[in-house]
């Protein structure tokens, strides 16, 4: 490593590749080797289902809180939001606020109750007092769809980021990068289970927050440690370059309804994200589940304040035009800023951290989706609840392999999309399909199987349909700088839904359908609800930690 560092030229290299590919690869490789060693060590006793899915429920609230922050501060948070702030200023920062406020919903309504009622997956909670088979199938489908959108975002981010660092111009190289990320992730999940994945997330969260903190102080130091000077100069620079006033609202969200729709998806989506919900099962008690959310809120909140400085820092020190024209587009604002500040070494470190971010999040998503397939579909639907834990874990590992392959293919197709966008869509689906059912299950006595199925499928179908026919997929005007339309498909226009995010329609629809479905059916189990209520509030009968 030291040889690499000393041989690095001090002159800034040509702009085609950012930094020195050899250093970047060295730092990447070092990171991968360390995390693989940790995963292998952590996963020595991954025999039982509780070990594989929930890490033996042996993590403390603090450890789990740091891991939740690691799981949640995805590439979209780091790369996507920093880029959105650099280009759209005030409007970009609204993503951060939505992502953060969402945790209050998770803390107040969901974390503790879920930990007490469930075992491994979201479907455990939903099927507790409803008919097992149809509800588990619906919950598993919804889990897979949300995880898939989220995975696409992370994989696309990985391709763009690593291409930027290794100077890979062509699409073939970027695709190769996505394959490498996918293979590594599959190894983490199959071998490490939830325990290995959690440790990767903890390490990554610590690295990410420290890295962002160093860059934040560095940027502020250039402006006399004054945030107002930074905001003023970034705005002035943006206007001189013919851009807009970054402190004015309305650069990205011309339409207030669009903004409300996005906010609803972000704020309500977190409490319905399957990979976030699954993290609550890795702690021994509901009290620790609550503690872990408090830790997560602090860490995530501090991190988002950093992104504000990084975004405006990138707008001033790198410039919007440079960012838009870089291989990774908007997502390369943070790496370009790192290069501007600390040259190749800082760039290599920050990029390795971003790469770690992507790996940790995709591992978390994959283990959630594979648990849902093996625990909910295989055990309940195929085996009628009679599968042994060993069989279940075997199927989960197989599922991780298949999901990893699908994620790799999807990531190749999603290259070049703004990742914050794709993630917002995953949030909209989670808020429309999962949240109404979870809240009704926990708090509404009359709720029944028909209500659950209507709200899951109704929320899911309406959210996806509106996304397909929205401007995100087709029909946006061409950007004068990049000469491309911001929509996913170029040169076609079949959109009839005017908003970028379907939340404002699909989320209320999920709640309404759940209500109508419940009221039109007589079926309902009072005794089971009473048992669920006692368990969710007191923890009596909840799953315990497995200490050997």
């Amino acid at each position: 490593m030291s040889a690499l560092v000393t041989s690095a030229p001090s002159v800034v290299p040509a702009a085609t590749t950012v930094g020195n590919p050899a250093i970047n690869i060295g730092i990447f490789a070092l990171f991968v080797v360390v995390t693989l060693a940790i995963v292998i060590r952590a996963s020595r006793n991954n025999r039982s289902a509780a070990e594989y899915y929930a890490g033996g429920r042996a993590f403390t609230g603090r450890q789990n809180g740091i891991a939740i922050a690691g799981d949640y501060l995805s590439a979209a948070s780091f790369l996507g939001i920093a880029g959105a702030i650099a280009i759209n200023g005030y409007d970009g920062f609204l993503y951060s606020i939505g992502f953060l406020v969402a945790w209050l919903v998770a803390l107040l309504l969901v974390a503790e109750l879920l930990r007490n009622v469930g075992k491994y997956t979201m479907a455990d909670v939903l099927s507790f007092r409803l008919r097992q088979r149809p509800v588990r199938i619906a919950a598993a489908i919804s889990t897979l769809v949300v995880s898939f959108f989220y995975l696409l975002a992370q994989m696309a981010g990985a391709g763009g980021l690593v291409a930027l660092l290794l100077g890979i111009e062509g699409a073939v190289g970027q695709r190769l990068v996505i394959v490498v990320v996918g293979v590594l992730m599959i190894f983490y999940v199959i071998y490490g289970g939830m325990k290995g994945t959690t440790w990767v997330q903890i390490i990554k969260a610590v690295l990410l927050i420290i890295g962002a903190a160093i860059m934040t102080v560095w940027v502020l130091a250039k402006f006399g440690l004054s945030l107002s000077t930074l905001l003023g100069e970034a705005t002035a620079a943006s206007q001189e370059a013919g851009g807009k006033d970054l402190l004015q609202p309305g650069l990205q969200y011309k339409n207030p309804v669009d903004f409300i729709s996005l906010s609803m998806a972000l704020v309500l989506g977190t409490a319905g994200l399957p990979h976030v919900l699954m993290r609550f099962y890795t702690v021994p008690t509901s009290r620790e589940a609550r503690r872990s959310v408090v830790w997560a809120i602090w860490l995530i909140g501090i991190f988002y304040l950093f992104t504000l400085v990084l975004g405006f820092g990138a707008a001033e020190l790198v410039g919007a035009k440079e960012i838009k024209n870089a291989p990774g587009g908007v997502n390369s604002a943070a790496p370009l800023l790192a290069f501007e500040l600390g040259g190749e070494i800082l760039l290599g470190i920050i990029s390795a951290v971003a790469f770690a971010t992507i790996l940790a999040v995709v591992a978390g998503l994959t283990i959630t989706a594979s648990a849902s397939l093996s625990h909910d579909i295989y055990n309940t639907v195929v085996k009628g609840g009679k599968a042994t834990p060993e069989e279940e874990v075997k199927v989960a590992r197989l599922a991780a392999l298949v999901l990893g392959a699908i994620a790799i293919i999807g990531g190749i197709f999603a290259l070049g999309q703004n990742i914050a966008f794709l993630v917002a869509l995953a949030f909209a689906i989670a808020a429309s399909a999962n949240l109404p059912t979870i809240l009704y299950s926990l708090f509404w006595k009359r709720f029944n199987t028909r209500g659950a199925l209507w709200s899951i499928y109704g929320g899911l179908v309406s959210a996806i349909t509106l996304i397909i026919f929205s401007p995100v997929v087709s029909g946006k005007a061409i950007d004068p700088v990049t000469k491309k339309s911001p929509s996913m498909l170029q040169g076609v226009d079949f959109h009839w839904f005017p908003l970028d995010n379907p939340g404002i329609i699909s989320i209320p629809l999920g709640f309404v359908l759940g209500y109508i479905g419940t009221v039109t059916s007589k079926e309902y189990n009072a005794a089971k609800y009473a048992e669920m209520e006692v368990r969710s509030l007191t923890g009596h009968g909840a799953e315990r930690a497995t200490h050997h």
Side-chain angles (χ1 to χ4, degrees):
M1 210 45 210
S2 58
L4 274 176
V5 174
T6 45
S7 65
S10 53
V11 211
V12 175
T16 47
T17 73
V18 183
N20 180 329
I23 292 185
N24 296 337
I25 290 179
I27 298 176
F28 269 30
L30 184 74
F31 173 80
V32 169
V33 169
V34 171
T35 47
L36 284 177
I38 289 164
V39 166
I40 290 168
R41 208 173 152 235
S43 59
R44 282 191 183 149
N45 51 356
N46 247 348
R47 279 180 288 280
S48 70
E51 288 282 349
Y52 185 79
Y53 293 138
R57 299 196 169 81
F59 288 98
T60 64
R62 182 174 63 205
Q63 286 172 331
N64 193 42
I66 299 171
I68 287 177
D71 203 351
Y72 193 69
L73 294 174
S74 61
S77 315
F78 183 42
L79 304 174
I81 290 179
I85 295 173
I87 305 289
N88 297 315
Y90 176 89
D91 281 18
F93 188 54
L94 293 171
Y95 267 112
S96 307
I97 296 171
F99 281 140
L100 180 61
V101 172
W103 277 101
L104 295 173
V105 180
L107 174 65
L108 298 172
L109 295 177
V110 179
E112 209 175 333
L113 305 175
L114 263 187
R115 168 64 192 84
N116 284 334
V117 177
K119 193 172 179 184
Y120 305 126
T121 63
M122 177 178 85
D124 288 334
V125 178
L126 303 184
S127 63
F128 190 86
R129 62 195 181 96
L130 308 174
R131 289 205 309 275
Q132 291 276 337
R133 198 183 164 105
V135 173
R136 279 197 190 265
I137 292 175
I141 290 173
S142 162
T143 296
L144 291 170
V145 171
V146 174
S147 301
F148 180 67
F149 266 96
Y150 219 103
L151 268 171
L152 278 193
Q154 305 307 323
M155 300 298 257
L161 170 81
V162 182
L164 172 78
L165 301 171
L166 307 183
I168 298 167
E169 291 290 322
V172 178
Q174 294 197 15
R175 287 171 188 159
L176 195 67
V177 168
I178 291 181
V179 173
V180 172
V181 173
V183 170
L184 270 172
M185 154 197 94
I186 293 169
F187 179 83
Y188 282 154
V189 173
I190 290 181
Y191 202 82
M194 183 53 104
K195 199 174 273 183
T197 302
T198 302
W199 280 114
V200 173
Q201 286 165 346
I202 290 174
I203 298 162
K204 169 249 141 150
V206 172
L207 288 176
L208 181 64
I209 291 169
I210 291 172
I214 291 170
M215 280 174 68
T216 300
V217 174
W218 202 325
V219 168
L220 286 174
K222 284 190 176 292
F223 297 91
L225 292 178
S226 157
L227 182 62
S228 59
T229 311
L230 165 65
L231 299 182
E233 291 197 16
T235 305
S238 166
Q239 286 171 312
E240 274 168 31
K244 317 267 187 7
D245 180 350
L246 292 178
L247 296 176
Q248 282 299 317
L251 290 190
Q252 191 173 356
Y253 307 108
K254 309 274 187 288
N255 175 352
V257 182
D258 213 347
F259 174 62
I260 293 168
S261 190
L262 173 75
S263 308
M264 283 176 68
L266 297 183
V267 170
L268 298 173
T270 297
L273 285 176
H275 67 290
V276 169
L277 301 177
M278 195 165 167
R279 291 234 53 93
F280 298 140
Y281 300 129
T282 61
V283 289
T285 62
S286 62
R287 184 167 165 268
E288 292 294 314
R290 198 172 57 229
R291 259 190 71 201
S292 55
V293 178
V294 174
W295 267 91
I297 287 177
W298 274 106
L299 293 171
I300 292 164
I302 291 166
F303 178 81
Y304 282 143
L305 289 175
F306 293 159
T307 58
L308 180 66
V309 175
L310 298 180
F312 277 100
E316 159 65 6
L317 299 169
V318 181
K321 196 163 180 215
E322 288 288 309
I323 294 169
K324 280 187 176 174
N325 288 331
V330 179
N331 305 322
S332 46
L336 290 172
L337 175 65
F339 183 61
E340 198 63 41
L341 293 172
E344 294 169 347
I345 304 298
L346 184 64
L347 172 80
I349 292 169
I350 292 300
S351 310
V353 169
F355 187 65
T357 297
I358 291 168
L359 266 182
V361 177
V362 286
L365 285 163
T366 309
I367 195 162
T368 305
S370 66
S372 187
L373 276 173
S374 63
H375 183 64
D376 300 328
I377 300 279
Y378 174 73
N379 188 359
T380 311
V381 180
V382 180
K383 287 289 191 179
K386 294 187 178 65
T388 63
E390 289 72 30
E391 286 178 329
E392 226 181 87
V393 171
K394 200 185 272 177
V395 172
R397 289 189 160 130
L398 204 72
L401 196 64
V402 175
L403 290 164
I406 294 171
I408 290 171
I409 296 163
I412 289 172
F413 281 108
L415 267 175
Q417 303 294 335
N418 178 351
I419 354 183
F421 239 0
L422 287 168
V423 169
L425 300 182
F427 273 71
I429 298 170
S432 312
N434 299 350
L435 189 68
T437 327
I438 290 169
L439 294 182
Y440 280 151
S441 278
L442 292 170
F443 299 109
W444 187 20
K445 198 175 184 174
R446 269 261 3 232
F447 192 56
N448 56 28
T449 306
R450 182 188 287 180
L453 297 178
W454 281 27
S455 79
I456 292 178
Y457 288 129
L460 197 60
V461 170
S462 63
I464 292 178
T465 307
L466 293 178
I467 288 169
I468 290 172
F469 293 105
S470 77
V472 173
V473 173
S474 70
K476 279 194 177 176
I478 288 170
D479 183 324
V481 179
T482 57
K483 303 281 186 284
K484 279 168 65 180
S485 159
S487 297
M488 285 184 186
L489 302 177
Q490 303 291 320
V492 286
D493 180 2
F494 49 82
H495 86 282
W496 46 259
F497 182 67
L499 307 178
D500 279 358
N501 197 296
I504 198 164
I505 307 283
S506 58
I507 298 170
L509 191 66
F511 280 99
V512 169
L513 286 170
Y515 176 78
I516 296 173
T518 301
V519 183
T520 54
S521 163
K522 295 275 187 288
E523 172 203 3
Y524 133 76
N525 188 337
K528 217 48 180 147
Y529 176 72
E531 183 190 334
M532 182 168 175
E533 193 170 34
V534 170
R535 182 191 275 206
S536 70
L537 295 173
T538 63
H540 179 72
E543 295 290 326
R544 293 281 166 237
T546 52
H547 290 294
H548 301 298

